[in-house]
């Protein structure tokens, strides 16, 4: 049932191109327009939405953090993302024009369920992004957009995460489409890129041997830091979470711009720091800033592990290890940048003799608050 792989996690990492393609299937028509009639929220209502609030836990929360960038950019609707476990305790401001998106692989996470119940009591519309047909969260939501990752068995979420991203991009692009923002042309272009992205994920998977080798060489380390900016920041958080849960290592993700406000004090000789570098095309300011961050940490002894787009030569002098990913539009980069981090964590866990599919103290679905 592991299809020849040693672990479900490895199988599920390998299934990501298909999971991504399946989640897109039937949702983009031949003309490149998005059709999400299946969510059954009337277009008139979507045009009225004046705030989006995303609630989720763990890895699904990281998908939500990335979704915020996409939603705000393509729709110009303000979007908040909140840990489901914190949400209802702060008495959030919600009404009929608020669209709440509850993201959950299992559809059974108790905190997410309680958050969506609270949102509905306040009159908000709830859209579930969920991987499990007929589970509690979609049943209790107003609408659902299913991710088509197939069953995810390993406790650490991989393919579900990528499909959550795809689903969130679809929602963001769809909202942009029905509301007609000034980004119409960009939306068209991104839809085209999105429909090709599963091949890019496949290409990343084909080049993972050096990442595994690197992971094995770091098996005796205690700490790994992750840095990113913009959508690379949640990717850094996700990379750190994977490492905590699988390798039981101290791992932290930071927004690279925060370095000088504290975390840079952690940098010491030979400390591995993974840096997610945004595309040098497009929003190049971000790129330049992160290149200086890499220089700063390297000058203080960090061992830099740089994830950068193919063809980006500016990072080469500052990368102790360079992991290449295909060029994508900035907002879609998490779909390719996360994959090496999953492989990295999985291989480190194996090298440290940990149980990959069933990390200690964790359960696949957290049905208590
Ligand atoms: C991490 C992981 C967890 C889940 C979280 C939410 O790899 O799997 O952080 O993402 O427990 O679970 P769902 O998506 O089922 O609500």
């Amino acid at each position: 049932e592991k299809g020849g792989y040693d672990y479900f996690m490895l199988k599920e990492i390998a299934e990501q191109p298909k999971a991504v393609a399946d989640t897109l299937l039937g949702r983009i028509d031949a003309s490149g327009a998005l059709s999400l009639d299946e969510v059954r929220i009337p277009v008139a209502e979507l045009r009225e939405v004046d705030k989006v609030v995303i609630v989720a836990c763990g890895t699904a929360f990281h998908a939500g953090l990335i979704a915020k960038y996409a939603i705000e950019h393509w729709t110009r609707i303000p979007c908040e993302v909140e840990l489901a476990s914190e949400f209802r305790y702060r008495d959030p401001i919600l009404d009929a024009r608020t669209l709440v998106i509850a993201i959950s692989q299992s559809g059974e996470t108790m905190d997410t369920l309680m958050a969506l119940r609270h949102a509905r009591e306040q009159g908000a519309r709830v859209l579930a992004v969920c991987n499990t047909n007929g589970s509690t969260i979609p049943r209790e939501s107003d609408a659902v957009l299913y991710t088509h990752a197939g069953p995810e068995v390993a406790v650490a979420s991989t393919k579900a995460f990528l499909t959550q991203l795809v689903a969130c991009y679809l929602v963001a692009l769809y909202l942009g489409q029905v509301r007609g923002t000034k980004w119409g042309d960009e939306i068209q272009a991104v839809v085209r890129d999105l429909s090709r992205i599963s091949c890019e994920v496949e290409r990343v998977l084909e080049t993972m041997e050096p990442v595994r080798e690197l992971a094995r060489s770091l098996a005796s380390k205690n700490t790994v830091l992750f840095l990113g900016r913009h959508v690379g920041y949640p990717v850094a958080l996700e990379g750190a979470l994977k490492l905590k849960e699988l390798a039981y290592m101290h791992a932290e993700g930071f927004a690279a711009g925060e370095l000088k406000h504290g975390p840079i004090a952690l940098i010491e000789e030979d400390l591995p720091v993974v840096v997610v570098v945004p595309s040098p095309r497009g929003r190049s300011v971000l790129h330049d800033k992160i290149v200086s961050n890499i220089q700063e940490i390297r000058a203080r002894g960090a061992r830099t592990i740089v994830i950068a787009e193919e063809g980006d030569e500016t990072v080469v002098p500052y990368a102790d290890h360079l992991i290449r990913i295909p060029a994508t539009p900035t907002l879609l980069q998490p779909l390719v940048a996360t994959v090496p981090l999953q492989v990295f964590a999985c291989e480190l866990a194996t090298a440290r003799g940990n149980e990959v599919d069933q990390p200690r103290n964790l359960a696949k679905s957290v049905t208590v608050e």
Side-chain angles (χ1 to χ4, degrees), residues 224-228 236 272-276 303-307 341 344:
V224 180
L225 302 184
F226 294 77
L227 299 178
V273 184
V274 179
V275 188
V276 184
R303 166 136 44 132
T304 57
I305 302 166
V306 176
I307 303 184
L341 302 181
F344 182 71

Side-chain angles (χ1 to χ4, degrees), residues 56-61 103-110 112 129 132 137 152 154-158 160 164 238 241-242 245-246 362-366:
C57 302
T59 288
F61 172 70
I103 309 174
S104 175
Q105 186 285 129
S106 62
E108 301 296 345
T109 299
M110 188 54 79
T112 309
V129 167
T132 312
I137 287 171
E152 193 178 61
V155 165
S157 187
T158 54
Q164 284 161 356
E238 175 61 8
L241 178 61
K242 288 279 107 62
E245 62 179 335
L246 292 160
L362 291 173
K364 182 65 184 162
S365 130
V366 183

Side-chain angles (χ1 to χ4, degrees), residues 167-290:
C168 289
Y169 291 134
L170 288 171
V171 170
L173 293 163
Y174 185 63
L175 279 172
Q177 178 182 294
V178 302
R179 298 164 67 99
T181 64
K182 66 172 177 163
W183 300 113
D185 292 345
E186 183 177 321
I187 289 175
Q188 285 284 302
V190 169
V191 167
R192 278 194 301 276
D193 287 315
L194 194 57
S195 47
R196 282 192 297 256
I197 202 89
S198 91
C199 304
E200 308 294 0
V201 176
E202 183 77 63
R203 283 216 291 136
V204 177
L205 288 169
E206 284 161 6
T207 58
M208 285 298 95
E209 195 43 47
V211 174
R212 287 190 203 98
E213 214 172 283
L214 170 65
R216 290 193 290 270
S217 77
L218 298 175
S220 60
K221 293 281 182 190
N222 297 315
T223 303
V224 180
L225 302 184
F226 294 77
L227 299 178
R229 278 179 182 263
H230 193 260
V231 290
Y233 168 44
V235 171
L237 295 177
E238 175 61 8
L241 178 61
K242 288 279 107 62
L243 208 57
K244 284 174 201 158
E245 62 179 335
L246 292 160
Y248 316 149
M249 288 167 85
H250 171 224
E252 292 292 333
F254 298 108
E258 276 292 293
L259 267 176
K260 289 192 187 63
H261 303 285
I264 201 162
L266 292 168
I267 306 294
E268 56 188 18
E269 200 54 38
D270 213 34
L271 177 78
V273 184
V274 179
V275 188
V276 184
V277 179
S279 167
R281 305 160 299 119
R283 267 150 267 198
S284 59
V285 190
L286 284 173
H287 177 268
D288 299 348
K289 290 217 159 116
I290 214 150

Side-chain angles (χ1 to χ4, degrees), residues 15 31 33 55 69-70 117 143 246 252 272 306 315:
E15 284 169 349
S31 73
V55 292
Y69 290 85
R117 282 184 184 159
L246 292 160
E252 292 292 333
V306 176
V315 293

